[in-house]
Amino acid sequence: MDFWWSYWYFHFPNYALAVLFWTLVGRFMFGLFLPPDSPNYVYRWFRRLTDWLMRPVAFITHPIMPGALLSLVAAFWVAMARVAFFMALYAAGLTPRV
């Protein structure tokens, strides 16, 4: 347990980015089967948790990209942010060692 808490500055952002990534993937999967105004409470929460990220991604993404794929584009950028976060902390020697 002490191992986890001694690297809290790595684990918390890493976990938050992982949750955001999988929420975006879930949003995409729900979007395949449900309309955007669906009363499904899980889909509504996925949309509510990720809407803040969809606006900037929609702004920087080329307009030819279908709106249904925008959440996958956002998931890609979150995955790249997670890799960059790991690489920065690893280069600084701040990641947990095996």
Side-chain angles (χ1 to χ4, degrees):
M1 191 65 150
D2 185 47
F3 174 76
W4 197 90
W5 283 109
S6 59
Y7 292 102
W8 66 269
Y9 53 85
F10 170 76
H11 292 298
F12 283 137
N14 189 36
Y15 181 75
L17 288 171
V19 167
L20 183 59
F21 173 83
W22 287 111
T23 305
L24 286 163
V25 171
R27 177 182 174 143
F28 169 73
M29 297 301 289
F30 273 116
L32 292 175
F33 303 105
L34 297 173
D37 59 343
S38 172
N40 184 295
Y41 63 92
V42 176
Y43 185 42
R44 283 187 309 184
W45 271 102
F46 279 17
R47 291 180 56 90
R48 192 172 294 166
L49 289 172
T50 58
D51 274 345
W52 65 272
L53 182 61
M54 298 303 286
R55 286 183 214 97
V57 170
F59 180 75
I60 64 170
T61 304
H62 196 275
I64 199 168
M65 177 69 63
L69 295 178
L70 222 65
S71 58
L72 287 183
V73 173
F76 169 78
W77 287 116
V78 169
M80 292 300 103
R82 191 173 175 200
V83 168
F85 174 73
F86 174 79
M87 289 173 57
L89 264 62
Y90 184 80
L94 298 173
T95 57
R97 303 283 188 236
V98 177

